[in-house]
Amino acid sequence: LAVDGKTDASNRGDMLTQKLIAHLPLLLHENPRDVAIVGLGSGVTVGSALRHPIRRADVIELSREVVEASQHFVSENHDALRDPRTHLIVGDGRSHLVLSSRQYDVVISEPSNPWISGVANLFTREFFELAKSRLTDGGILSQWIHCYNMAPEDLRGIIRTYQSVFANVSLWMPTRGDLILIGSDK
């Protein structure tokens, strides 16, 4: 799946990351029921989340074309958009979190690379604090960071910013080019 010529999902190299960004917080949370996923991509992440006994998965995707393209991954994502627990919201993920009063046990943020135009605001203190404000007590924010084609100081800056928002942070490296940050105040 490519957006403006940049690959944003595949059924090869980043498959482990697409799955783990959902499995890690859902396994670490005591009783996850409601999940928000910022970014649909191939749908593998929401498909992985639905493997858990959650009640609801709100998936917020900016692009209708990405929603259409996710249909090419139904065998990998277990036809996640047809699961009755999935609620697709076509719109801006940040705006959804600002305007919604819904609370989530887990928020999963899997935007494209921070250096892509319009994406950098999903790697800021303001966004991390916004996502945190939508978490229930003990909630977890799972954040994907693509660390290739990024200056080391920029990557360190994102990680430091994330750490400044959450009391407890762990960093996972499922593949050489991807990091997952798990943050919670519990």
Side-chain angles (χ1 to χ4, degrees):
L1 170 65
V3 177
D4 294 331
K6 194 264 177 209
T7 301
D8 274 333
S10 75
N11 56 3
R12 286 181 252 168
D14 61 358
M15 188 60 69
L16 180 61
T17 305
Q18 293 179 68
K19 293 177 180 181
L20 283 178
I21 194 166
H23 289 309
L24 287 171
L26 291 167
L27 289 169
L28 292 170
H29 193 282
E30 289 180 5
N31 186 26
R33 305 299 292 153
D34 297 313
V35 177
I37 302 172
V38 178
L40 173 64
S42 66
V44 168
T45 299
V46 67
S48 297
L50 294 168
R51 307 307 259 177
H52 297 264
I54 63 172
R55 176 176 48 204
R56 180 184 179 104
D58 287 351
V59 181
I60 308 100
E61 173 53 54
L62 184 61
S63 169
R64 287 196 183 281
E65 292 81 8
V66 169
V67 174
E68 292 171 20
S70 73
Q71 297 307 305
H72 294 285
F73 295 91
V74 292
S75 63
E76 288 88 356
N77 68 31
H78 309 287
D79 213 2
L81 292 181
R82 291 187 190 260
D83 189 298
R85 297 172 293 165
T86 301
H87 300 268
L88 177 65
I89 300 158
V90 178
D92 180 74
R94 186 181 172 286
S95 295
H96 171 75
L97 293 177
V98 166
L99 298 172
S100 173
S101 60
R102 184 172 295 281
Q103 295 290 115
Y104 299 99
D105 302 305
V106 172
V107 173
I108 299 166
S109 179
E110 54 177 347
S112 191
N113 303 67
W115 42 265
I116 298 291
S117 178
V119 177
N121 68 349
L122 297 178
F123 293 92
T124 62
R125 177 184 319 277
E126 292 77 15
F127 177 75
F128 297 149
E129 289 174 344
L130 172 61
K132 180 180 176 179
S133 76
R134 292 290 162 244
L135 292 174
T136 58
D137 186 43
I140 296 172
L141 172 62
S142 181
Q143 177 72 47
W144 186 344
I145 301 175
H146 313 74
C147 52
Y148 51 88
N149 294 335
M150 188 184 312
E153 58 272 11
D154 293 336
L155 179 59
R156 283 192 297 271
I158 292 170
I159 294 169
R160 271 194 310 271
T161 301
Y162 192 89
Q163 287 177 309
S164 73
V165 174
F166 292 97
N168 298 291
V169 173
S170 63
L171 184 141
W172 302 70
M173 189 174 198
T175 66
R176 186 172 183 177
D178 297 318
L179 297 176
I180 298 172
L181 292 173
I182 301 292
S184 180
D185 282 341
K186 294 276 179 162

